[in-house]
Coordinates of all heavy atoms in Angstrom, one line a residue:
G712 N 222.9 56.1 7.6 CA 223.1 57.4 8.3 C 221.9 57.6 9.2 O 221.1 56.7 9.4
M713 N 222.0 58.7 9.9 CA 220.9 59.0 10.9 C 219.6 59.3 10.3 O 218.5 59.0 10.9 CB 221.4 60.1 11.8 CG 220.7 60.2 13.1 SD 221.0 58.9 14.2 CE 220.5 59.7 15.8
W714 N 219.5 59.9 9.1 CA 218.3 60.5 8.6 C 218.0 60.0 7.2 O 218.8 60.0 6.3 CB 218.4 62.1 8.6 CG 218.8 62.5 10.0 CD1 220.0 63.0 10.3 CD2 218.1 62.4 11.2 NE1 220.1 63.3 11.7 CE2 218.9 62.9 12.3 CE3 216.8 62.0 11.5 CZ2 218.4 63.0 13.6 CZ3 216.3 62.0 12.8 CH2 217.1 62.5 13.8
G715 N 216.7 59.8 7.0 CA 216.2 59.3 5.7 C 216.4 60.2 4.6 O 216.7 59.9 3.4
F716 N 216.2 61.5 4.8 CA 216.3 62.5 3.8 C 217.7 62.6 3.2 O 217.8 62.9 2.0 CB 215.8 63.9 4.3 CG 216.7 64.5 5.3 CD1 217.9 65.1 5.0 CD2 216.4 64.5 6.7 CE1 218.7 65.7 6.0 CE2 217.2 65.0 7.6 CZ 218.4 65.6 7.3
A717 N 218.7 62.2 4.0 CA 220.1 62.3 3.5 C 220.3 61.3 2.4 O 221.2 61.5 1.6 CB 221.0 62.1 4.7
N718 N 219.5 60.2 2.4 CA 219.7 59.2 1.3 C 219.4 59.8 -0.1 O 219.9 59.2 -1.1 CB 218.7 58.0 1.5 CG 219.1 57.2 2.8 OD1 220.1 57.5 3.4 ND2 218.3 56.3 3.1
Y719 N 218.6 60.9 -0.1 CA 218.3 61.5 -1.4 C 219.2 62.7 -1.7 O 219.0 63.4 -2.7 CB 216.8 61.9 -1.4 CG 215.8 60.8 -1.1 CD1 215.1 60.9 0.1 CD2 215.7 59.7 -1.9 CE1 214.2 59.9 0.4 CE2 214.8 58.7 -1.6 CZ 214.0 58.8 -0.5 OH 213.2 57.8 -0.2
G720 N 220.0 63.1 -0.8 CA 220.8 64.3 -0.9 C 220.0 65.5 -0.8 O 220.4 66.6 -1.2
L721 N 218.9 65.4 0.0 CA 218.0 66.6 0.2 C 218.6 67.5 1.3 O 219.2 67.0 2.3 CB 216.6 66.1 0.6 CG 215.7 65.6 -0.5 CD1 214.4 65.1 0.1 CD2 215.5 66.6 -1.6
E722 N 218.3 68.7 1.2 CA 218.6 69.7 2.3 C 217.3 70.3 2.8 O 216.9 71.4 2.3 CB 219.6 70.7 1.9 CG 221.0 70.2 1.7 CD 222.0 71.4 1.7 OE1 221.6 72.5 1.6 OE2 223.3 71.1 1.6
P723 N 216.5 69.6 3.6 CA 215.2 70.1 4.0 C 215.3 71.4 4.8 O 216.4 71.7 5.4 CB 214.6 69.0 4.8 CG 215.8 68.3 5.3 CD 216.8 68.4 4.2
D724 N 214.3 72.2 4.7 CA 214.2 73.4 5.5 C 213.8 73.2 6.9 O 214.1 73.9 7.9 CB 213.3 74.4 4.8 CG 213.7 74.7 3.4 OD1 214.7 75.3 3.2 OD2 212.9 74.3 2.5
I725 N 213.0 72.1 7.1 CA 212.5 71.7 8.4 C 212.5 70.2 8.5 O 212.2 69.5 7.5 CB 211.0 72.2 8.7 CG1 211.0 73.7 8.7 CG2 210.5 71.7 10.0 CD1 209.5 74.3 8.8
V726 N 212.9 69.7 9.6 CA 212.8 68.2 9.8 C 212.0 68.0 11.0 O 212.1 68.6 12.1 CB 214.2 67.6 10.0 CG1 214.2 66.1 10.3 CG2 215.1 67.9 8.9
T727 N 211.0 67.0 10.9 CA 210.2 66.7 12.1 C 210.4 65.3 12.6 O 210.8 64.4 11.8 CB 208.7 66.8 11.7 OG1 208.4 66.0 10.6 CG2 208.4 68.3 11.3
M728 N 210.3 65.1 13.9 CA 210.6 63.8 14.5 C 209.6 63.5 15.5 O 209.0 64.3 16.1 CB 212.0 64.0 15.2 CG 213.1 64.4 14.3 SD 214.6 64.8 15.3 CE 215.6 65.5 14.0
G729 N 209.4 62.2 15.8 CA 208.5 61.7 16.8 C 208.9 60.2 17.0 O 210.0 59.7 16.7
K730 N 207.9 59.5 17.6 CA 208.1 58.0 17.8 C 209.5 57.5 18.3 O 209.7 57.5 19.4 CB 207.5 57.2 16.6 CG 206.0 57.3 16.5 CD 205.6 56.3 15.4 CE 204.1 56.3 15.3 NZ 203.5 57.4 14.7
P731 N 210.4 57.2 17.3 CA 211.7 56.6 17.8 C 212.6 57.6 18.5 O 213.5 57.1 19.2 CB 212.3 56.2 16.4 CG 211.7 57.1 15.4 CD 210.3 57.3 15.9
I732 N 212.3 58.8 18.6 CA 213.2 59.8 19.3 C 213.3 59.5 20.7 O 214.3 59.8 21.4 CB 212.6 61.2 19.0 CG1 213.6 62.3 19.5 CG2 211.3 61.5 19.6 CD1 213.2 63.7 19.1
G733 N 212.2 58.9 21.3 CA 212.2 58.7 22.8 C 212.1 57.2 23.2 O 211.9 56.9 24.4
D734 N 212.3 56.3 22.3 CA 212.2 54.9 22.6 C 211.0 54.5 23.4 O 211.0 53.7 24.4 CB 213.5 54.4 23.4 CG 213.7 52.9 23.4 OD1 213.6 52.3 22.3 OD2 213.9 52.3 24.5
G735 N 209.8 55.1 23.1 CA 208.6 54.8 23.8 C 208.2 56.0 24.7 O 207.0 56.1 25.1
H736 N 209.1 56.9 25.1 CA 208.7 58.0 25.8 C 208.2 59.1 24.9 O 208.8 59.3 23.8 CB 209.9 58.6 26.7 CG 209.6 59.7 27.6 ND1 208.9 59.5 28.8 CD2 209.8 61.0 27.5 CE1 208.7 60.6 29.4 NE2 209.3 61.6 28.7
P737 N 207.1 59.8 25.2 CA 206.6 60.8 24.2 C 207.5 62.1 24.1 O 207.5 63.0 24.9 CB 205.2 61.2 24.8 CG 205.3 60.9 26.3 CD 206.3 59.7 26.4
I738 N 208.2 62.1 23.0 CA 209.0 63.2 22.6 C 208.8 63.5 21.1 O 208.6 62.5 20.3 CB 210.5 63.0 22.8 CG1 210.8 62.4 24.2 CG2 211.3 64.3 22.7 CD1 212.2 62.0 24.4
G739 N 208.9 64.7 20.7 CA 208.9 65.1 19.3 C 209.8 66.3 19.1 O 210.2 66.9 20.1
A740 N 210.2 66.6 17.9 CA 211.0 67.7 17.7 C 210.8 68.3 16.3 O 210.5 67.6 15.3 CB 212.5 67.3 17.9
V741 N 211.1 69.6 16.2 CA 211.1 70.3 14.9 C 212.5 70.9 14.8 O 212.9 71.7 15.7 CB 210.0 71.4 14.8 CG1 210.1 72.2 13.5 CG2 208.6 70.8 14.9
I742 N 213.2 70.6 13.8 CA 214.5 71.1 13.5 C 214.4 72.1 12.3 O 213.9 71.6 11.3 CB 215.6 70.0 13.3 CG1 215.5 68.9 14.4 CG2 217.0 70.6 13.2 CD1 215.7 69.4 15.8
V743 N 214.9 73.3 12.4 CA 214.5 74.3 11.4 C 215.7 75.2 11.1 O 216.6 75.5 11.9 CB 213.3 75.1 11.9 CG1 213.6 75.8 13.2 CG2 212.8 76.0 10.9
R744 N 215.7 75.7 9.8 CA 216.6 76.8 9.5 C 216.3 78.0 10.3 O 215.1 78.4 10.4 CB 216.4 77.2 8.0 CG 216.9 76.2 7.0 CD 216.6 76.8 5.6 NE 216.9 75.8 4.5 CZ 218.1 75.7 3.9 NH1 219.1 76.4 4.3 NH2 218.2 74.8 2.9
P745 N 217.3 78.6 11.0 CA 217.0 79.7 11.9 C 216.2 80.9 11.3 O 215.4 81.5 11.9 CB 218.4 80.2 12.3 CG 219.3 78.9 12.2 CD 218.7 78.2 11.0
Q746 N 216.5 81.2 10.0 CA 215.8 82.3 9.4 C 214.3 82.1 9.3 O 213.6 83.1 9.1 CB 216.4 82.7 8.0 CG 216.4 81.5 7.0 CD 217.7 80.7 7.0 OE1 218.3 80.5 8.1 NE2 218.2 80.3 5.8
L747 N 213.9 80.9 9.3 CA 212.4 80.6 9.1 C 211.7 80.9 10.4 O 210.5 81.2 10.3 CB 212.2 79.2 8.7 CG 212.7 78.7 7.4 CD1 212.3 77.3 7.1 CD2 212.1 79.6 6.3
V748 N 212.3 80.9 11.5 CA 211.6 81.2 12.8 C 211.9 82.5 13.4 O 211.4 82.8 14.5 CB 211.9 80.0 13.8 CG1 211.2 78.8 13.4 CG2 213.4 79.8 14.0
S749 N 212.7 83.3 12.8 CA 213.1 84.6 13.4 C 211.8 85.5 13.5 O 211.5 86.1 14.5 CB 214.1 85.4 12.5 OG 213.7 85.5 11.2
S750 N 211.0 85.6 12.4 CA 209.8 86.3 12.4 C 208.7 85.6 13.2 O 207.9 86.2 14.0 CB 209.3 86.6 11.0 OG 208.0 87.2 11.0

């Protein structure tokens, strides 16, 4: 599948990304539960 955490059946609150996301172009990302960033 796309994500390593899914192999464990985890439901993380935040997922962080870097390196392979841009095939060498500098990109990173934070994917988050909406309620965690409202405040």
